[in-house]
Amino acid sequence: MAKIPASIPSFRQFMLRSQVLTLYRDILRVIRRIEDTNQRHDMIQWVRGEFDKNKHLQDQQTIRMLISQGRVSLREMSTSINITQ
């Protein structure tokens, strides 16, 4: 039987969660292009750690700021990987 959540998130919280999950998936897609398996594994662990560290956050402004920082990091990571290939 499905567990019913204690509180239902607002539409804004739902949209922020969607943006976070999209960012996470996009980062993992970029990391998959790293050829060195050890480096790829280390990057995946680092990304998981960063997302886990912030999963308790509730302040929408803080979450938006972290999403923006994550997008910048994603662009930089993608550029770096493209240059090395």
Side-chain angles (χ1 to χ4, degrees), residues 35-60:
E35 293 178 9
D36 181 8
T37 56
N38 290 329
Q39 189 177 17
R40 185 180 331 122
H41 178 73
D42 291 344
M43 288 294 290
I44 290 171
Q45 294 304 316
W46 175 74
V47 168
R48 283 182 184 160
E50 289 298 309
F51 276 80
D52 281 344
K53 180 172 69 173
N54 295 306
K55 72 180 179 181
H56 70 282
L57 295 176
Q58 297 293 320
D59 181 42
Q60 292 180 16

mmCIF file with all atom_site columns, all heavy atoms in Angstrom, residues 35-60:
data_model
loop_
_atom_site.group_PDB
_atom_site.id
_atom_site.type_symbol
_atom_site.label_atom_id
_atom_site.label_alt_id
_atom_site.label_comp_id
_atom_site.label_asym_id
_atom_site.label_entity_id
_atom_site.label_seq_id
_atom_site.pdbx_PDB_ins_code
_atom_site.Cartn_x
_atom_site.Cartn_y
_atom_site.Cartn_z
_atom_site.occupancy
_atom_site.B_iso_or_equiv
_atom_site.pdbx_formal_charge
_atom_site.auth_seq_id
_atom_site.auth_comp_id
_atom_site.auth_asym_id
_atom_site.auth_atom_id
_atom_site.pdbx_PDB_model_num
ATOM 1   N N   . GLU A 1 35 ? 35.713 9.689  -19.752 1.00 0.00 ? 35 GLU A N   1
ATOM 2   C CA  . GLU A 1 35 ? 36.245 8.393  -20.190 1.00 0.00 ? 35 GLU A CA  1
ATOM 3   C C   . GLU A 1 35 ? 36.887 7.599  -19.051 1.00 0.00 ? 35 GLU A C   1
ATOM 4   O O   . GLU A 1 35 ? 36.729 6.382  -18.991 1.00 0.00 ? 35 GLU A O   1
ATOM 5   C CB  . GLU A 1 35 ? 37.250 8.610  -21.317 1.00 0.00 ? 35 GLU A CB  1
ATOM 6   C CG  . GLU A 1 35 ? 36.585 9.129  -22.584 1.00 0.00 ? 35 GLU A CG  1
ATOM 7   C CD  . GLU A 1 35 ? 37.573 9.396  -23.691 1.00 0.00 ? 35 GLU A CD  1
ATOM 8   O OE1 . GLU A 1 35 ? 38.751 9.033  -23.563 1.00 0.00 ? 35 GLU A OE1 1
ATOM 9   O OE2 . GLU A 1 35 ? 37.155 9.984  -24.701 1.00 0.00 ? 35 GLU A OE2 1
ATOM 10  N N   . ASP A 1 36 ? 37.607 8.245  -18.174 1.00 0.00 ? 36 ASP A N   1
ATOM 11  C CA  . ASP A 1 36 ? 38.291 7.571  -17.069 1.00 0.00 ? 36 ASP A CA  1
ATOM 12  C C   . ASP A 1 36 ? 37.256 7.101  -16.038 1.00 0.00 ? 36 ASP A C   1
ATOM 13  O O   . ASP A 1 36 ? 36.577 7.903  -15.407 1.00 0.00 ? 36 ASP A O   1
ATOM 14  C CB  . ASP A 1 36 ? 39.299 8.525  -16.424 1.00 0.00 ? 36 ASP A CB  1
ATOM 15  C CG  . ASP A 1 36 ? 40.080 7.896  -15.285 1.00 0.00 ? 36 ASP A CG  1
ATOM 16  O OD1 . ASP A 1 36 ? 39.957 6.667  -15.078 1.00 0.00 ? 36 ASP A OD1 1
ATOM 17  O OD2 . ASP A 1 36 ? 40.809 8.638  -14.597 1.00 0.00 ? 36 ASP A OD2 1
ATOM 18  N N   . THR A 1 37 ? 37.135 5.785  -15.856 1.00 0.00 ? 37 THR A N   1
ATOM 19  C CA  . THR A 1 37 ? 36.102 5.242  -14.978 1.00 0.00 ? 37 THR A CA  1
ATOM 20  C C   . THR A 1 37 ? 36.300 5.659  -13.519 1.00 0.00 ? 37 THR A C   1
ATOM 21  O O   . THR A 1 37 ? 35.316 5.896  -12.816 1.00 0.00 ? 37 THR A O   1
ATOM 22  C CB  . THR A 1 37 ? 36.048 3.703  -15.071 1.00 0.00 ? 37 THR A CB  1
ATOM 23  O OG1 . THR A 1 37 ? 37.329 3.167  -14.783 1.00 0.00 ? 37 THR A OG1 1
ATOM 24  C CG2 . THR A 1 37 ? 35.593 3.263  -16.440 1.00 0.00 ? 37 THR A CG2 1
ATOM 25  N N   . ASN A 1 38 ? 37.542 5.744  -13.063 1.00 0.00 ? 38 ASN A N   1
ATOM 26  C CA  . ASN A 1 38 ? 37.783 6.164  -11.671 1.00 0.00 ? 38 ASN A CA  1
ATOM 27  C C   . ASN A 1 38 ? 37.354 7.607  -11.461 1.00 0.00 ? 38 ASN A C   1
ATOM 28  O O   . ASN A 1 38 ? 36.719 7.941  -10.453 1.00 0.00 ? 38 ASN A O   1
ATOM 29  C CB  . ASN A 1 38 ? 39.257 5.998  -11.293 1.00 0.00 ? 38 ASN A CB  1
ATOM 30  C CG  . ASN A 1 38 ? 39.653 4.547  -11.182 1.00 0.00 ? 38 ASN A CG  1
ATOM 31  O OD1 . ASN A 1 38 ? 38.847 3.696  -10.821 1.00 0.00 ? 38 ASN A OD1 1
ATOM 32  N ND2 . ASN A 1 38 ? 40.895 4.259  -11.516 1.00 0.00 ? 38 ASN A ND2 1
ATOM 33  N N   . GLN A 1 39 ? 37.697 8.456  -12.400 1.00 0.00 ? 39 GLN A N   1
ATOM 34  C CA  . GLN A 1 39 ? 37.321 9.864  -12.304 1.00 0.00 ? 39 GLN A CA  1
ATOM 35  C C   . GLN A 1 39 ? 35.792 10.008 -12.397 1.00 0.00 ? 39 GLN A C   1
ATOM 36  O O   . GLN A 1 39 ? 35.190 10.795 -11.676 1.00 0.00 ? 39 GLN A O   1
ATOM 37  C CB  . GLN A 1 39 ? 37.998 10.666 -13.399 1.00 0.00 ? 39 GLN A CB  1
ATOM 38  C CG  . GLN A 1 39 ? 37.832 12.148 -13.251 1.00 0.00 ? 39 GLN A CG  1
ATOM 39  C CD  . GLN A 1 39 ? 38.597 12.914 -14.324 1.00 0.00 ? 39 GLN A CD  1
ATOM 40  O OE1 . GLN A 1 39 ? 38.993 12.355 -15.350 1.00 0.00 ? 39 GLN A OE1 1
ATOM 41  N NE2 . GLN A 1 39 ? 38.776 14.202 -14.102 1.00 0.00 ? 39 GLN A NE2 1
ATOM 42  N N   . ARG A 1 40 ? 35.180 9.238  -13.285 1.00 0.00 ? 40 ARG A N   1
ATOM 43  C CA  . ARG A 1 40 ? 33.724 9.266  -13.423 1.00 0.00 ? 40 ARG A CA  1
ATOM 44  C C   . ARG A 1 40 ? 33.053 8.854  -12.112 1.00 0.00 ? 40 ARG A C   1
ATOM 45  O O   . ARG A 1 40 ? 32.121 9.513  -11.636 1.00 0.00 ? 40 ARG A O   1
ATOM 46  C CB  . ARG A 1 40 ? 33.276 8.343  -14.557 1.00 0.00 ? 40 ARG A CB  1
ATOM 47  C CG  . ARG A 1 40 ? 31.800 8.417  -14.842 1.00 0.00 ? 40 ARG A CG  1
ATOM 48  C CD  . ARG A 1 40 ? 31.328 7.501  -15.968 1.00 0.00 ? 40 ARG A CD  1
ATOM 49  N NE  . ARG A 1 40 ? 32.301 7.225  -16.987 1.00 0.00 ? 40 ARG A NE  1
ATOM 50  C CZ  . ARG A 1 40 ? 32.722 5.995  -17.314 1.00 0.00 ? 40 ARG A CZ  1
ATOM 51  N NH1 . ARG A 1 40 ? 32.252 4.944  -16.693 1.00 0.00 ? 40 ARG A NH1 1
ATOM 52  N NH2 . ARG A 1 40 ? 33.606 5.817  -18.267 1.00 0.00 ? 40 ARG A NH2 1
ATOM 53  N N   . HIS A 1 41 ? 33.554 7.773  -11.511 1.00 0.00 ? 41 HIS A N   1
ATOM 54  C CA  . HIS A 1 41 ? 33.002 7.289  -10.243 1.00 0.00 ? 41 HIS A CA  1
ATOM 55  C C   . HIS A 1 41 ? 33.150 8.351  -9.147  1.00 0.00 ? 41 HIS A C   1
ATOM 56  O O   . HIS A 1 41 ? 32.209 8.595  -8.376  1.00 0.00 ? 41 HIS A O   1
ATOM 57  C CB  . HIS A 1 41 ? 33.695 5.983  -9.832  1.00 0.00 ? 41 HIS A CB  1
ATOM 58  C CG  . HIS A 1 41 ? 33.229 5.453  -8.526  1.00 0.00 ? 41 HIS A CG  1
ATOM 59  N ND1 . HIS A 1 41 ? 31.998 4.867  -8.359  1.00 0.00 ? 41 HIS A ND1 1
ATOM 60  C CD2 . HIS A 1 41 ? 33.820 5.443  -7.308  1.00 0.00 ? 41 HIS A CD2 1
ATOM 61  C CE1 . HIS A 1 41 ? 31.855 4.517  -7.095  1.00 0.00 ? 41 HIS A CE1 1
ATOM 62  N NE2 . HIS A 1 41 ? 32.949 4.851  -6.439  1.00 0.00 ? 41 HIS A NE2 1
ATOM 63  N N   . ASP A 1 42 ? 34.312 8.980  -9.070  1.00 0.00 ? 42 ASP A N   1
ATOM 64  C CA  . ASP A 1 42 ? 34.548 10.028 -8.072  1.00 0.00 ? 42 ASP A CA  1
ATOM 65  C C   . ASP A 1 42 ? 33.599 11.202 -8.262  1.00 0.00 ? 42 ASP A C   1
ATOM 66  O O   . ASP A 1 42 ? 33.067 11.746 -7.290  1.00 0.00 ? 42 ASP A O   1
ATOM 67  C CB  . ASP A 1 42 ? 35.994 10.520 -8.119  1.00 0.00 ? 42 ASP A CB  1
ATOM 68  C CG  . ASP A 1 42 ? 36.981 9.483  -7.631  1.00 0.00 ? 42 ASP A CG  1
ATOM 69  O OD1 . ASP A 1 42 ? 36.560 8.501  -6.972  1.00 0.00 ? 42 ASP A OD1 1
ATOM 70  O OD2 . ASP A 1 42 ? 38.189 9.647  -7.915  1.00 0.00 ? 42 ASP A OD2 1
ATOM 71  N N   . MET A 1 43 ? 33.371 11.588 -9.504  1.00 0.00 ? 43 MET A N   1
ATOM 72  C CA  . MET A 1 43 ? 32.464 12.700 -9.791  1.00 0.00 ? 43 MET A CA  1
ATOM 73  C C   . MET A 1 43 ? 31.033 12.354 -9.411  1.00 0.00 ? 43 MET A C   1
ATOM 74  O O   . MET A 1 43 ? 30.315 13.182 -8.830  1.00 0.00 ? 43 MET A O   1
ATOM 75  C CB  . MET A 1 43 ? 32.531 13.082 -11.270 1.00 0.00 ? 43 MET A CB  1
ATOM 76  C CG  . MET A 1 43 ? 33.798 13.786 -11.675 1.00 0.00 ? 43 MET A CG  1
ATOM 77  S SD  . MET A 1 43 ? 33.971 15.404 -10.898 1.00 0.00 ? 43 MET A SD  1
ATOM 78  C CE  . MET A 1 43 ? 32.690 16.306 -11.734 1.00 0.00 ? 43 MET A CE  1
ATOM 79  N N   . ILE A 1 44 ? 30.605 11.140 -9.699  1.00 0.00 ? 44 ILE A N   1
ATOM 80  C CA  . ILE A 1 44 ? 29.253 10.717 -9.329  1.00 0.00 ? 44 ILE A CA  1
ATOM 81  C C   . ILE A 1 44 ? 29.087 10.746 -7.818  1.00 0.00 ? 44 ILE A C   1
ATOM 82  O O   . ILE A 1 44 ? 28.074 11.233 -7.302  1.00 0.00 ? 44 ILE A O   1
ATOM 83  C CB  . ILE A 1 44 ? 28.938 9.315  -9.902  1.00 0.00 ? 44 ILE A CB  1
ATOM 84  C CG1 . ILE A 1 44 ? 28.789 9.390  -11.421 1.00 0.00 ? 44 ILE A CG1 1
ATOM 85  C CG2 . ILE A 1 44 ? 27.672 8.735  -9.282  1.00 0.00 ? 44 ILE A CG2 1
ATOM 86  C CD1 . ILE A 1 44 ? 28.691 8.052  -12.114 1.00 0.00 ? 44 ILE A CD1 1
ATOM 87  N N   . GLN A 1 45 ? 30.087 10.240 -7.093  1.00 0.00 ? 45 GLN A N   1
ATOM 88  C CA  . GLN A 1 45 ? 30.018 10.259 -5.629  1.00 0.00 ? 45 GLN A CA  1
ATOM 89  C C   . GLN A 1 45 ? 29.968 11.686 -5.098  1.00 0.00 ? 45 GLN A C   1
ATOM 90  O O   . GLN A 1 45 ? 29.237 11.981 -4.155  1.00 0.00 ? 45 GLN A O   1
ATOM 91  C CB  . GLN A 1 45 ? 31.212 9.504  -5.031  1.00 0.00 ? 45 GLN A CB  1
ATOM 92  C CG  . GLN A 1 45 ? 31.212 8.023  -5.314  1.00 0.00 ? 45 GLN A CG  1
ATOM 93  C CD  . GLN A 1 45 ? 29.938 7.343  -4.844  1.00 0.00 ? 45 GLN A CD  1
ATOM 94  O OE1 . GLN A 1 45 ? 29.450 7.596  -3.745  1.00 0.00 ? 45 GLN A OE1 1
ATOM 95  N NE2 . GLN A 1 45 ? 29.371 6.491  -5.691  1.00 0.00 ? 45 GLN A NE2 1
ATOM 96  N N   . TRP A 1 46 ? 30.740 12.572 -5.701  1.00 0.00 ? 46 TRP A N   1
ATOM 97  C CA  . TRP A 1 46 ? 30.752 13.971 -5.267  1.00 0.00 ? 46 TRP A CA  1
ATOM 98  C C   . TRP A 1 46 ? 29.387 14.616 -5.490  1.00 0.00 ? 46 TRP A C   1
ATOM 99  O O   . TRP A 1 46 ? 28.855 15.288 -4.608  1.00 0.00 ? 46 TRP A O   1
ATOM 100 C CB  . TRP A 1 46 ? 31.845 14.738 -6.018  1.00 0.00 ? 46 TRP A CB  1
ATOM 101 C CG  . TRP A 1 46 ? 31.844 16.197 -5.716  1.00 0.00 ? 46 TRP A CG  1
ATOM 102 C CD1 . TRP A 1 46 ? 32.271 16.794 -4.574  1.00 0.00 ? 46 TRP A CD1 1
ATOM 103 C CD2 . TRP A 1 46 ? 31.349 17.233 -6.568  1.00 0.00 ? 46 TRP A CD2 1
ATOM 104 N NE1 . TRP A 1 46 ? 32.080 18.159 -4.669  1.00 0.00 ? 46 TRP A NE1 1
ATOM 105 C CE2 . TRP A 1 46 ? 31.519 18.449 -5.885  1.00 0.00 ? 46 TRP A CE2 1
ATOM 106 C CE3 . TRP A 1 46 ? 30.797 17.253 -7.841  1.00 0.00 ? 46 TRP A CE3 1
ATOM 107 C CZ2 . TRP A 1 46 ? 31.145 19.673 -6.430  1.00 0.00 ? 46 TRP A CZ2 1
ATOM 108 C CZ3 . TRP A 1 46 ? 30.431 18.474 -8.385  1.00 0.00 ? 46 TRP A CZ3 1
ATOM 109 C CH2 . TRP A 1 46 ? 30.603 19.663 -7.679  1.00 0.00 ? 46 TRP A CH2 1
ATOM 110 N N   . VAL A 1 47 ? 28.797 14.384 -6.670  1.00 0.00 ? 47 VAL A N   1
ATOM 111 C CA  . VAL A 1 47 ? 27.494 14.966 -6.983  1.00 0.00 ? 47 VAL A CA  1
ATOM 112 C C   . VAL A 1 47 ? 26.434 14.421 -6.028  1.00 0.00 ? 47 VAL A C   1
ATOM 113 O O   . VAL A 1 47 ? 25.623 15.186 -5.480  1.00 0.00 ? 47 VAL A O   1
ATOM 114 C CB  . VAL A 1 47 ? 27.110 14.699 -8.456  1.00 0.00 ? 47 VAL A CB  1
ATOM 115 C CG1 . VAL A 1 47 ? 25.655 15.042 -8.725  1.00 0.00 ? 47 VAL A CG1 1
ATOM 116 C CG2 . VAL A 1 47 ? 28.026 15.484 -9.377  1.00 0.00 ? 47 VAL A CG2 1
ATOM 117 N N   . ARG A 1 48 ? 26.425 13.128 -5.809  1.00 0.00 ? 48 ARG A N   1
ATOM 118 C CA  . ARG A 1 48 ? 25.453 12.539 -4.875  1.00 0.00 ? 48 ARG A CA  1
ATOM 119 C C   . ARG A 1 48 ? 25.600 13.151 -3.489  1.00 0.00 ? 48 ARG A C   1
ATOM 120 O O   . ARG A 1 48 ? 24.599 13.458 -2.831  1.00 0.00 ? 48 ARG A O   1
ATOM 121 C CB  . ARG A 1 48 ? 25.656 11.026 -4.782  1.00 0.00 ? 48 ARG A CB  1
ATOM 122 C CG  . ARG A 1 48 ? 25.102 10.281 -5.944  1.00 0.00 ? 48 ARG A CG  1
ATOM 123 C CD  . ARG A 1 48 ? 25.290 8.798  -5.758  1.00 0.00 ? 48 ARG A CD  1
ATOM 124 N NE  . ARG A 1 48 ? 24.833 8.086  -6.936  1.00 0.00 ? 48 ARG A NE  1
ATOM 125 C CZ  . ARG A 1 48 ? 25.190 6.859  -7.248  1.00 0.00 ? 48 ARG A CZ  1
ATOM 126 N NH1 . ARG A 1 48 ? 26.027 6.196  -6.471  1.00 0.00 ? 48 ARG A NH1 1
ATOM 127 N NH2 . ARG A 1 48 ? 24.727 6.290  -8.336  1.00 0.00 ? 48 ARG A NH2 1
ATOM 128 N N   . GLY A 1 49 ? 26.843 13.313 -3.052  1.00 0.00 ? 49 GLY A N   1
ATOM 129 C CA  . GLY A 1 49 ? 27.094 13.899 -1.738  1.00 0.00 ? 49 GLY A CA  1
ATOM 130 C C   . GLY A 1 49 ? 26.564 15.316 -1.630  1.00 0.00 ? 49 GLY A C   1
ATOM 131 O O   . GLY A 1 49 ? 25.960 15.698 -0.625  1.00 0.00 ? 49 GLY A O   1
ATOM 132 N N   . GLU A 1 50 ? 26.787 16.114 -2.684  1.00 0.00 ? 50 GLU A N   1
ATOM 133 C CA  . GLU A 1 50 ? 26.308 17.503 -2.681  1.00 0.00 ? 50 GLU A CA  1
ATOM 134 C C   . GLU A 1 50 ? 24.779 17.561 -2.642  1.00 0.00 ? 50 GLU A C   1
ATOM 135 O O   . GLU A 1 50 ? 24.207 18.361 -1.905  1.00 0.00 ? 50 GLU A O   1
ATOM 136 C CB  . GLU A 1 50 ? 26.833 18.256 -3.906  1.00 0.00 ? 50 GLU A CB  1
ATOM 137 C CG  . GLU A 1 50 ? 28.315 18.549 -3.859  1.00 0.00 ? 50 GLU A CG  1
ATOM 138 C CD  . GLU A 1 50 ? 28.688 19.445 -2.688  1.00 0.00 ? 50 GLU A CD  1
ATOM 139 O OE1 . GLU A 1 50 ? 28.073 20.513 -2.511  1.00 0.00 ? 50 GLU A OE1 1
ATOM 140 O OE2 . GLU A 1 50 ? 29.608 19.073 -1.930  1.00 0.00 ? 50 GLU A OE2 1
ATOM 141 N N   . PHE A 1 51 ? 24.127 16.726 -3.426  1.00 0.00 ? 51 PHE A N   1
ATOM 142 C CA  . PHE A 1 51 ? 22.664 16.736 -3.422  1.00 0.00 ? 51 PHE A CA  1
ATOM 143 C C   . PHE A 1 51 ? 22.121 16.199 -2.099  1.00 0.00 ? 51 PHE A C   1
ATOM 144 O O   . PHE A 1 51 ? 21.156 16.736 -1.564  1.00 0.00 ? 51 PHE A O   1
ATOM 145 C CB  . PHE A 1 51 ? 22.117 15.944 -4.620  1.00 0.00 ? 51 PHE A CB  1
ATOM 146 C CG  . PHE A 1 51 ? 22.053 16.760 -5.878  1.00 0.00 ? 51 PHE A CG  1
ATOM 147 C CD1 . PHE A 1 51 ? 23.179 16.979 -6.648  1.00 0.00 ? 51 PHE A CD1 1
ATOM 148 C CD2 . PHE A 1 51 ? 20.861 17.326 -6.299  1.00 0.00 ? 51 PHE A CD2 1
ATOM 149 C CE1 . PHE A 1 51 ? 23.133 17.738 -7.808  1.00 0.00 ? 51 PHE A CE1 1
ATOM 150 C CE2 . PHE A 1 51 ? 20.788 18.088 -7.460  1.00 0.00 ? 51 PHE A CE2 1
ATOM 151 C CZ  . PHE A 1 51 ? 21.928 18.301 -8.213  1.00 0.00 ? 51 PHE A CZ  1
ATOM 152 N N   . ASP A 1 52 ? 22.736 15.148 -1.560  1.00 0.00 ? 52 ASP A N   1
ATOM 153 C CA  . ASP A 1 52 ? 22.305 14.610 -0.264  1.00 0.00 ? 52 ASP A CA  1
ATOM 154 C C   . ASP A 1 52 ? 22.482 15.631 0.855   1.00 0.00 ? 52 ASP A C   1
ATOM 155 O O   . ASP A 1 52 ? 21.644 15.733 1.756   1.00 0.00 ? 52 ASP A O   1
ATOM 156 C CB  . ASP A 1 52 ? 23.073 13.333 0.086   1.00 0.00 ? 52 ASP A CB  1
ATOM 157 C CG  . ASP A 1 52 ? 22.548 12.114 -0.644  1.00 0.00 ? 52 ASP A CG  1
ATOM 158 O OD1 . ASP A 1 52 ? 21.420 12.166 -1.179  1.00 0.00 ? 52 ASP A OD1 1
ATOM 159 O OD2 . ASP A 1 52 ? 23.266 11.097 -0.687  1.00 0.00 ? 52 ASP A OD2 1
ATOM 160 N N   . LYS A 1 53 ? 23.573 16.384 0.789   1.00 0.00 ? 53 LYS A N   1
ATOM 161 C CA  . LYS A 1 53 ? 23.872 17.371 1.819   1.00 0.00 ? 53 LYS A CA  1
ATOM 162 C C   . LYS A 1 53 ? 22.779 18.443 1.888   1.00 0.00 ? 53 LYS A C   1
ATOM 163 O O   . LYS A 1 53 ? 22.500 18.980 2.954   1.00 0.00 ? 53 LYS A O   1
ATOM 164 C CB  . LYS A 1 53 ? 25.237 18.008 1.532   1.00 0.00 ? 53 LYS A CB  1
ATOM 165 C CG  . LYS A 1 53 ? 25.677 19.053 2.519   1.00 0.00 ? 53 LYS A CG  1
ATOM 166 C CD  . LYS A 1 53 ? 27.101 19.487 2.259   1.00 0.00 ? 53 LYS A CD  1
ATOM 167 C CE  . LYS A 1 53 ? 27.186 20.271 0.964   1.00 0.00 ? 53 LYS A CE  1
ATOM 168 N NZ  . LYS A 1 53 ? 28.515 20.857 0.729   1.00 0.00 ? 53 LYS A NZ  1
ATOM 169 N N   . ASN A 1 54 ? 22.154 18.723 0.763   1.00 0.00 ? 54 ASN A N   1
ATOM 170 C CA  . ASN A 1 54 ? 21.172 19.807 0.701   1.00 0.00 ? 54 ASN A CA  1
ATOM 171 C C   . ASN A 1 54 ? 19.726 19.341 0.581   1.00 0.00 ? 54 ASN A C   1
ATOM 172 O O   . ASN A 1 54 ? 18.831 20.162 0.427   1.00 0.00 ? 54 ASN A O   1
ATOM 173 C CB  . ASN A 1 54 ? 21.515 20.733 -0.470  1.00 0.00 ? 54 ASN A CB  1
ATOM 174 C CG  . ASN A 1 54 ? 22.831 21.429 -0.263  1.00 0.00 ? 54 ASN A CG  1
ATOM 175 O OD1 . ASN A 1 54 ? 23.052 22.065 0.757   1.00 0.00 ? 54 ASN A OD1 1
ATOM 176 N ND2 . ASN A 1 54 ? 23.732 21.302 -1.222  1.00 0.00 ? 54 ASN A ND2 1
ATOM 177 N N   . LYS A 1 55 ? 19.483 18.049 0.681   1.00 0.00 ? 55 LYS A N   1
ATOM 178 C CA  . LYS A 1 55 ? 18.120 17.563 0.457   1.00 0.00 ? 55 LYS A CA  1
ATOM 179 C C   . LYS A 1 55 ? 17.140 17.953 1.561   1.00 0.00 ? 55 LYS A C   1
ATOM 180 O O   . LYS A 1 55 ? 15.934 17.935 1.351   1.00 0.00 ? 55 LYS A O   1
ATOM 181 C CB  . LYS A 1 55 ? 18.110 16.052 0.251   1.00 0.00 ? 55 LYS A CB  1
ATOM 182 C CG  . LYS A 1 55 ? 18.377 15.231 1.480   1.00 0.00 ? 55 LYS A CG  1
ATOM 183 C CD  . LYS A 1 55 ? 18.344 13.756 1.125   1.00 0.00 ? 55 LYS A CD  1
ATOM 184 C CE  . LYS A 1 55 ? 18.636 12.889 2.316   1.00 0.00 ? 55 LYS A CE  1
ATOM 185 N NZ  . LYS A 1 55 ? 18.613 11.475 1.945   1.00 0.00 ? 55 LYS A NZ  1
ATOM 186 N N   . HIS A 1 56 ? 17.626 18.361 2.703   1.00 0.00 ? 56 HIS A N   1
ATOM 187 C CA  . HIS A 1 56 ? 16.752 18.753 3.810   1.00 0.00 ? 56 HIS A CA  1
ATOM 188 C C   . HIS A 1 56 ? 16.261 20.197 3.705   1.00 0.00 ? 56 HIS A C   1
ATOM 189 O O   . HIS A 1 56 ? 15.372 20.606 4.437   1.00 0.00 ? 56 HIS A O   1
ATOM 190 C CB  . HIS A 1 56 ? 17.496 18.590 5.134   1.00 0.00 ? 56 HIS A CB  1
ATOM 191 C CG  . HIS A 1 56 ? 18.587 19.599 5.301   1.00 0.00 ? 56 HIS A CG  1
ATOM 192 N ND1 . HIS A 1 56 ? 19.803 19.465 4.664   1.00 0.00 ? 56 HIS A ND1 1
ATOM 193 C CD2 . HIS A 1 56 ? 18.629 20.762 5.988   1.00 0.00 ? 56 HIS A CD2 1
ATOM 194 C CE1 . HIS A 1 56 ? 20.555 20.513 4.978   1.00 0.00 ? 56 HIS A CE1 1
ATOM 195 N NE2 . HIS A 1 56 ? 19.873 21.325 5.767   1.00 0.00 ? 56 HIS A NE2 1
ATOM 196 N N   . LEU A 1 57 ? 16.824 20.978 2.799   1.00 0.00 ? 57 LEU A N   1
ATOM 197 C CA  . LEU A 1 57 ? 16.506 22.405 2.714   1.00 0.00 ? 57 LEU A CA  1
ATOM 198 C C   . LEU A 1 57 ? 15.037 22.627 2.368   1.00 0.00 ? 57 LEU A C   1
ATOM 199 O O   . LEU A 1 57 ? 14.476 21.921 1.534   1.00 0.00 ? 57 LEU A O   1
ATOM 200 C CB  . LEU A 1 57 ? 17.384 23.089 1.667   1.00 0.00 ? 57 LEU A CB  1
ATOM 201 C CG  . LEU A 1 57 ? 18.875 23.121 1.963   1.00 0.00 ? 57 LEU A CG  1
ATOM 202 C CD1 . LEU A 1 57 ? 19.641 23.743 0.808   1.00 0.00 ? 57 LEU A CD1 1
ATOM 203 C CD2 . LEU A 1 57 ? 19.145 23.893 3.252   1.00 0.00 ? 57 LEU A CD2 1
ATOM 204 N N   . GLN A 1 58 ? 14.442 23.630 2.994   1.00 0.00 ? 58 GLN A N   1
ATOM 205 C CA  . GLN A 1 58 ? 13.045 23.972 2.750   1.00 0.00 ? 58 GLN A CA  1
ATOM 206 C C   . GLN A 1 58 ? 12.882 25.390 2.206   1.00 0.00 ? 58 GLN A C   1
ATOM 207 O O   . GLN A 1 58 ? 11.884 25.692 1.564   1.00 0.00 ? 58 GLN A O   1
ATOM 208 C CB  . GLN A 1 58 ? 12.244 23.857 4.060   1.00 0.00 ? 58 GLN A CB  1
ATOM 209 C CG  . GLN A 1 58 ? 12.194 22.457 4.620   1.00 0.00 ? 58 GLN A CG  1
ATOM 210 C CD  . GLN A 1 58 ? 11.405 21.511 3.738   1.00 0.00 ? 58 GLN A CD  1
ATOM 211 O OE1 . GLN A 1 58 ? 10.371 21.879 3.190   1.00 0.00 ? 58 GLN A OE1 1
ATOM 212 N NE2 . GLN A 1 58 ? 11.888 20.300 3.578   1.00 0.00 ? 58 GLN A NE2 1
ATOM 213 N N   . ASP A 1 59 ? 13.870 26.256 2.451   1.00 0.00 ? 59 ASP A N   1
ATOM 214 C CA  . ASP A 1 59 ? 13.793 27.650 2.027   1.00 0.00 ? 59 ASP A CA  1
ATOM 215 C C   . ASP A 1 59 ? 13.881 27.728 0.502   1.00 0.00 ? 59 ASP A C   1
ATOM 216 O O   . ASP A 1 59 ? 14.894 27.357 -0.097  1.00 0.00 ? 59 ASP A O   1
ATOM 217 C CB  . ASP A 1 59 ? 14.914 28.463 2.676   1.00 0.00 ? 59 ASP A CB  1
ATOM 218 C CG  . ASP A 1 59 ? 14.863 29.921 2.284   1.00 0.00 ? 59 ASP A CG  1
ATOM 219 O OD1 . ASP A 1 59 ? 13.760 30.482 2.254   1.00 0.00 ? 59 ASP A OD1 1
ATOM 220 O OD2 . ASP A 1 59 ? 15.941 30.493 1.999   1.00 0.00 ? 59 ASP A OD2 1
ATOM 221 N N   . GLN A 1 60 ? 12.828 28.231 -0.115  1.00 0.00 ? 60 GLN A N   1
ATOM 222 C CA  . GLN A 1 60 ? 12.761 28.245 -1.574  1.00 0.00 ? 60 GLN A CA  1
ATOM 223 C C   . GLN A 1 60 ? 13.823 29.150 -2.196  1.00 0.00 ? 60 GLN A C   1
ATOM 224 O O   . GLN A 1 60 ? 14.368 28.828 -3.255  1.00 0.00 ? 60 GLN A O   1
ATOM 225 C CB  . GLN A 1 60 ? 11.370 28.671 -2.031  1.00 0.00 ? 60 GLN A CB  1
ATOM 226 C CG  . GLN A 1 60 ? 10.317 27.638 -1.682  1.00 0.00 ? 60 GLN A CG  1
ATOM 227 C CD  . GLN A 1 60 ? 8.932  28.040 -2.132  1.00 0.00 ? 60 GLN A CD  1
ATOM 228 O OE1 . GLN A 1 60 ? 8.763  28.930 -2.953  1.00 0.00 ? 60 GLN A OE1 1
ATOM 229 N NE2 . GLN A 1 60 ? 7.923  27.367 -1.596  1.00 0.00 ? 60 GLN A NE2 1
#
